[in-house]
Structure formats: structure tokens, C-alpha cells
Amino acid sequence: MGHHVTLDDLLEQLRSRGDRVTVARRLVLAELLAAGSEHRTAEGLADRVHRRDPEVHLSTIYRTLDVLEGAGLVVRAGFGDGAATYHLASDHHHHAVCDSCGAVIELPSDAFAALVRRLDRDHGFAARPRHVTIPGLCADCRSA
Ligand SMILES: [Zn+2]
Ligand SMILES: [Zn+2]
């Protein structure tokens, strides 16, 4: 979904803000790009990055994610009481999340198209839903 962004685009955005492109920043962005709409935890990213550069440690990953989030390149999303997860800000999508077991269903970027049209028509409001989370119960938990 919406994978028109390249690693070079992301690095250019970082440079244009005056942020340096470090090895860790490059590797984290490359991993998030490869992850697509899937979310990654800091630990999950650290594991993957560590395989490519053993010098990059978890503490660096945390700092790197803070910088990338501050730069608007990365979105942090926490579901329920689970660990914070991350994905690229350029990957537009939403989720339905089970209140009971935490199961996550990915929804496409246009999931709220009817609501967006209605807000425009009835209120002149230009809605831009970003990473919306819909709470509820998954099929397993409903039948439990
Ligand atoms: Zn998400
Ligand atoms: Zn559930």
C-alpha cells in the first residue's frame, strides 16, 4: 500500500531538515521501508539492524526512532498495553484492534472514504484521518 517512497527520498527528507544521515538512521529507515504496513517494535528493529551492523545497539535504535519520529518520518503506534511499534509515516493505513486479545487487522487508507465525503458535504470539513484505531472484538473473542 502506497509504496512510492524510496530510501533515497527518506534520507533526503532527513538531510533537508539538517539532520545527519547516520548508519543507524539509514538502516532503521531501510528496515521500516521493507516492513511496509507491518509494524516493528524497537527490539524487532534492533535484531534486524544488528544482523547488518553489529555496532548498532538497542539504545541507539531508541534514540534513532526518537529522531525519526521528531522528523515526521516515522509514526509510533501503541496498541492497548502492548509495546510501542513503529512504521513509516508515508505508509497510510488504519487498524481495527481487538479490545480483548489485541489482534490487529489492517485497514486500507481509504477505509473512511464515505465518512470523509460526508464531513465535507455536511460540514465543509476536509477530514484527513491518520492511523485511526477502531476498537472492538475480533471473531475469536466474539465467539469465546
Ligand atoms: Zn499502523
Ligand atoms: Zn480478540
Side-chain angles (χ1 to χ4, degrees), residues 55-137:
E55 297 295 305
V56 180
H57 299 288
L58 183 58
S59 57
T60 306
I61 299 289
Y62 279 119
R63 278 200 307 277
T64 299
L65 286 167
D66 279 347
V67 169
L68 296 176
E69 193 186 2
L73 292 176
V74 165
V75 172
R76 181 207 309 251
F79 295 126
D81 37 7
T85 61
Y86 300 84
H87 65 82
L88 290 180
S90 53
D91 193 276
H92 299 292
H93 62 266
H94 310 287
H95 298 280
V97 181
C98 180
D99 290 328
S100 180
C101 72
V104 175
I105 297 169
E106 189 179 318
L107 306 172
S109 60
D110 63 357
F112 303 107
L115 177 62
V116 168
R117 276 196 302 276
R118 187 169 172 166
L119 282 165
D120 185 16
R121 186 190 66 213
D122 296 351
H123 302 280
F125 184 83
R128 283 178 296 202
R130 277 184 292 269
H131 211 249
V132 174
T133 298
I134 307 273
L137 283 177

